[in-house]
Amino acid sequence: MTFRELGILPETAEALEAVGIVNPFPIQEMTLPVALSGSDVIGQAKTGTGKTLGFGLPLLEAVTVPADVEAGRSRPDQLTDAPQALVVVPTRELCTQVTNDLLTAGKVRNVRVLAIYGGRAYEPQVEALKKGVDVVVGTPGRLLDLAGQRKLDLSHIRTLVLDEADEMLDLGFLPDVEKIINMLPAKRQTMLFSATMPGAVIGLARRYMSQPTHIRATAPDDQGATVANIKQHIYRAHSMDKPELVSRILQARGRGLAMIFCRTKRTAADIAEQLERRGFASGAVHGDLGQGAREQALRAFRNGKVDVLVCTDVAARGIDVEGVTHVINYQSPEDEKTYLHRVGRTGRAGASGTAITLVDWDDIPRWQLINKALELDFSDPVETYSTSPHLYSDLDIPEGTKGVLPRTERTRAGLGAEELEDLGEPGGRKPRGRGRREEERSEQRPAPRTPRQRRRTRGGTPLDEAAAAQTPVATADHTAGTATDGTADGTAPAERRTPRRRRRTRAGATAEAAAPVTPVAQAPEAVAPAAVEAPAAAVETAVAPEAEAAPRRRTRKAAEAKADEAVATAEGTAPDAEAKPRRRTRKATPAPEATDATDAGTETAEAAPRRRTRKAAEAKADEAVATAEGTAPDAEAKPRRRTRKATPAPEATDAGAEAVEAAPRRRTRKAAASADTAAVPAQATTEAKPRRRRTTKAAAAPVEA
């Protein structure tokens, strides 16, 4: 019997004959007469026996297309752009395969078939729905998304098909399937098809069907649950020896395409990577891969660029690839239904195949349940290793075969030869293992982001501007005409940036590192020719009273303010001297030393060395008092607090001053500090004051003018 004799449309029969499909399988021959009459059908048949066309041909016959109007079989008012038939499938790979089969059968009539599933961009699917489709094949998740957004109109559905119905009516898919069924018209045709149909599933399916006809088709000479032309081998194998064992099985004589099924996604990715290192052209299909990588591996497998496909159970249902000769269960399946669907990937459409199952010691009880349910004869699998002689004889493996494919037999192009299609995936988990590397290697990497330029600043001011502000400028006194920039002719020195001090101390520098003085807008020729070079130790405050000191620092030394105030009060010759603001940095800025401007022999005051303590200002206060108070030569210096690093400041005295008692030295670790007291003149008698141990913070003594 042919398809034409079964009563299908001539255009559909012509499309099938164009691809060599003329005679129907038993499930097709028994289903078509019942389904074409519009009755509900529950179809059950073994894997690889043509169930897709069993429900696909009646579904295409029920759709009205413009070709039917032209042939006079339908009226123009029956045409619509809304979907007229819906097929719900559990996996994306099966969705693609069913779509291709329906497009092939409806090519002559120009039936519009659209696949809707996750992992792809929404926009192309929404645009296709707007243009109009006749048949929709999809997974439950994406169907509910588009229907909820009112992009998919299900009100004109005439035929509903649940492929792999036992999986669709399982607890995982059942809530989504019920939501989809509630959106459909009450008057419709419903068909359920699967290779395994438990009694509980049939009872549940009858809730959504109206007087269904249960059809179970088998060939007359095909007994048992599995296809008779599939040769099965069950071995008890050790998990550490399985990669070597599989590598030798893949080198058996006459081996074509092979599929290896794993229980977990991690195991599938790992085995695919190991086989690639051993020289086999392998690909992987599992849930951690993006949709683009999954379809790339399947296309490479169908095109022969890859001859070993390592996958999980997502590829165990409905995948029909011509030329698959070997199926290897790397891990024992969960139940008998999974075993049947895995093994059914080979021996399809009347061809022969080989199924090998490797059972771990821990999985023996599980396998025995599967063996009993399927009524097989492998209750006690034989213990097998990669070097077992019976392995070579059972599978026709050449003697001397090792676990690495010889280079002379590596003729496949590999997964990299297949183009990775950009599907505009909306997101999802990143793939692991080999799939991740292949995807990253193939995709176009974006241009690297330009790093943000970080500008170095000093006190909130850019470094180049701060350096320009600190460049010394030649200044001149308005009254005396004296240059104070350190040059003899008054010209500005070469511009240079003061290097930043990296030493994080609280001790101050000497008076030479004073702040830049205020520049005076005066022509170089207006400077007095008798310019006097400023002293290297200190700049006289009487000559340049307007010069501002460095900005004040944020420190804990409040005593420095008292020291500056004491100097300004004691200097009667400079009443208009402004208090110098401190710099807000962590670098210590010395206070200028007071000098006697009216003294005939202007002696240069030595700058007091700063101590590495938190109270360096106390030494300056004592020095300023001793220098400014000419009437109190016998004043005692206030005893200093004990610190770890005590460096007493030498007190400056005038030529005619009387002896001043030196401040008692504090206990320090530097014995060489005693040499600093030798700077006091010989006529000044030094008397050491008894040390006192203070626990509180000592304040500087008030200074009288």
Side-chain angles (χ1 to χ4, degrees), residues 127-417:
E127 291 296 328
L129 290 174
K130 289 181 179 179
K131 293 179 181 179
V133 296
D134 301 319
V135 180
V136 169
V137 184
T139 54
R142 182 57 65 90
L143 289 174
L144 286 177
D145 287 346
L146 294 179
Q149 300 175 18
R150 299 186 182 277
K151 303 295 179 56
L152 176 60
D153 183 11
L154 299 178
S155 61
H156 294 79
I157 297 296
R158 304 175 187 173
T159 305
L160 169 66
V161 176
L162 296 182
D163 194 10
E164 304 296 339
D166 59 330
E167 183 78 7
M168 299 306 303
L169 296 179
D170 197 0
L171 295 180
F173 284 105
L174 184 58
D176 293 342
V177 172
E178 288 180 341
K179 292 178 183 179
I180 294 175
I181 293 177
N182 292 333
M183 298 179 183
L184 303 178
K187 187 179 180 180
R188 66 179 185 275
Q189 182 185 15
T190 305
M191 293 186 287
L192 277 64
F193 280 78
S194 178
T196 54
M197 194 73 68
V201 174
I202 295 177
L204 182 63
R206 293 181 185 275
R207 293 169 44 190
Y208 311 106
M209 307 180 72
S210 174
Q211 298 179 353
T213 303
H214 189 181
I215 300 175
R216 183 172 182 178
T218 56
D221 57 344
D222 192 1
Q223 301 296 327
T226 58
V227 180
N229 54 1
I230 297 179
K231 190 176 182 180
Q232 303 177 58
H233 299 277
I234 315 298
Y235 299 123
R236 180 185 302 182
H238 196 280
S239 58
M240 298 185 65
D241 190 46
K242 283 184 179 181
E244 183 74 16
L245 187 64
V246 170
S247 300
R248 302 192 181 193
I249 293 175
L250 292 177
Q251 300 181 52
R253 295 186 179 95
R255 197 266 299 178
L257 302 182
M259 297 184 70
I260 302 175
F261 287 97
C262 303
R263 190 182 304 163
T264 63
K265 296 174 286 188
R266 187 185 298 270
T267 305
D270 180 61
I271 295 303
E273 186 175 357
Q274 290 193 42
L275 291 178
E276 185 180 12
R277 290 200 301 264
R278 292 174 181 265
F280 297 93
S282 62
V285 174
H286 53 82
D288 277 348
L289 289 175
Q291 186 61 29
R294 290 164 67 169
E295 295 191 10
Q296 177 196 23
L298 273 175
R299 287 197 309 271
F301 189 60
R302 294 179 188 274
N303 298 334
K305 299 178 182 178
V306 167
D307 62 341
V308 179
L309 186 67
V310 185
C311 49
T312 56
D313 289 332
V314 297
R317 288 181 175 264
I319 302 301
D320 185 15
V321 179
E322 184 179 356
V324 177
T325 60
H326 286 67
V327 169
I328 302 174
N329 290 317
Y330 190 83
Q331 294 171 310
S332 177
E334 296 287 345
D335 49 31
E336 66 277 5
K337 295 188 300 181
T338 305
Y339 178 80
L340 288 178
H341 287 286
R342 286 184 178 182
V343 171
R345 298 314 101 202
T346 185
R348 301 180 67 85
S352 60
T354 303
I356 302 109
T357 302
L358 306 179
V359 184
D360 292 338
W361 268 257
D362 297 340
D363 291 334
I364 291 297
R366 177 183 299 171
W367 168 252
Q368 289 177 349
L369 293 176
I370 297 174
N371 182 80
K372 182 179 180 181
L374 298 179
E375 299 179 355
L376 301 177
D377 192 19
F378 305 101
S379 178
D380 189 16
V382 59
E383 186 173 346
T384 306
Y385 297 93
S386 58
T387 56
S388 300
H390 64 269
L391 176 69
Y392 289 80
S393 59
D394 292 347
L395 302 178
D396 195 14
I397 302 175
E399 293 293 335
T401 300
K402 302 299 180 182
V404 179
L405 186 67
R407 295 187 178 275
T408 56
E409 299 182 12
R410 301 179 185 181
T411 57
R412 304 279 179 172
L415 184 62

Side-chain angles (χ1 to χ4, degrees), residues 556-641:
R556 300 178 180 176
K557 296 184 287 183
E560 292 192 2
K562 296 181 180 181
D564 296 337
E565 182 179 358
V567 174
T569 306
E571 291 180 354
T573 57
D576 299 331
E578 299 179 359
K580 300 182 179 182
R582 301 283 177 86
R583 295 176 57 194
R584 291 189 177 182
T585 62
R586 294 185 179 180
K587 299 185 295 183
T589 305
E593 299 181 0
T595 58
D596 190 1
T598 58
D599 194 359
T602 56
E603 299 180 358
T604 303
E606 296 182 359
R610 299 294 297 275
R611 290 179 293 119
R612 292 185 179 179
T613 64
R614 295 184 177 180
K615 287 193 172 185
E618 292 183 355
K620 292 194 294 185
D622 297 338
E623 179 183 358
V625 171
T627 305
E629 293 182 353
T631 59
D634 298 329
E636 293 183 0
K638 189 176 182 64
R640 300 177 181 176
R641 290 177 57 198

Side-chain angles (χ1 to χ4, degrees), residues 48-66:
T49 57
K51 292 186 299 296
T52 302
L53 291 183
F55 66 78
L57 296 181
L59 179 142
L60 294 175
E61 297 285 326
V63 172
T64 302
V65 295

Side-chain angles (χ1 to χ4, degrees), residues 646-666:
T647 307
E651 301 179 358
T653 58
D654 295 336
E658 296 181 3
V660 180
E661 294 183 2
R665 294 183 59 204
R666 289 180 293 157

